[in-house]
C-alpha cells in the first residue's frame, strides 16, 4: 500500500497533500510511528487515496497520511491484532 503525508484542517475538514511529500510504503510509515496510527475518515476527493490516517510520534506530535487502501491493509490489521494478543 502506498501513502503520502498530508495536511488536514479539522475545522473545514480540508485535506491537501503536503508540499514536497513523496509516496511512502504504508507499512514502513506504521513502523516509523510504532504502529500508533488510526483511521480518521474516508477520502473521496483525492485521486486513488481512500483513507486519511493520523499518526503520533514519540513526542505525541500529529502527522496525517493519505493511504491507498487495499486488501493488504486488512491483512496487516489482522496480523497486528494476532501479534498483540500473542498469537503469531
Amino acid at each position: 500500500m502506498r501513502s503520502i503525508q498530508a495536511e488536514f484542517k479539522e475545522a473545514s475538514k480540508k485535506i491537501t497533500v503536503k508540499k514536497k511529500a513523496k509516496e511512502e510504503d504504508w507499512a514502513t510509515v506504521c513502523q516509523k510511528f510504532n504502529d500508533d496510527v488510526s483511521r480518521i475518515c474516508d477520502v473521496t476527493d483525492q485521486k486513488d487515496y481512500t483513507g486519511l490516517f493520523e499518526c503520533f510520534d514519540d513526542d505525541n506530535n500529529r502527522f496525517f497520511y493519505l493511504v491507498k487502501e487495499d486488501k493488504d491493509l486488512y491483512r496487516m490489521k489482522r496480523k497486528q491484532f494476532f501479534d498483540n494478543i500473542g498469537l503469531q
Side-chain angles (χ1 to χ4, degrees):
M1 284 175 299
R2 305 304 299 163
S3 65
I4 194 163
Q5 195 169 8
E7 294 177 346
F8 176 59
K9 297 195 186 319
E10 291 185 63
S12 64
K13 304 287 187 212
K14 184 176 179 179
I15 304 168
T16 55
V17 173
K18 193 168 186 172
K19 290 182 182 179
K20 298 184 182 179
K22 295 181 180 174
E23 271 198 340
E24 301 175 61
D25 178 62
W26 180 237
T28 304
V29 172
C30 290
Q31 288 175 345
K32 178 169 64 173
F33 290 102
N34 297 317
D35 293 319
D36 192 0
V37 300
S38 59
R39 192 173 195 279
I40 295 178
C41 63
D42 290 331
V43 175
T44 57
D45 60 342
Q46 299 289 330
K47 185 179 181 185
D48 295 332
Y49 295 101
T50 56
L52 179 68
F53 285 75
E54 174 180 51
C55 307
F56 291 94
D57 66 7
D58 292 337
D59 296 324
N60 230 18
N61 296 315
R62 296 169 79 186
F63 297 88
F64 298 98
Y65 280 83
L66 287 165
V67 178
K68 294 178 183 178
E69 298 169 303
D70 59 18
K71 61 185 174 189
D72 290 336
L73 175 65
Y74 303 104
R75 289 182 187 142
M76 189 168 79
K77 282 181 167 179
R78 183 177 172 91
K79 180 188 178 305
Q80 190 68 27
F81 172 76
F82 286 136
D83 288 350
N84 288 340
I85 62 171
L87 301 174
Q88 294 181 349

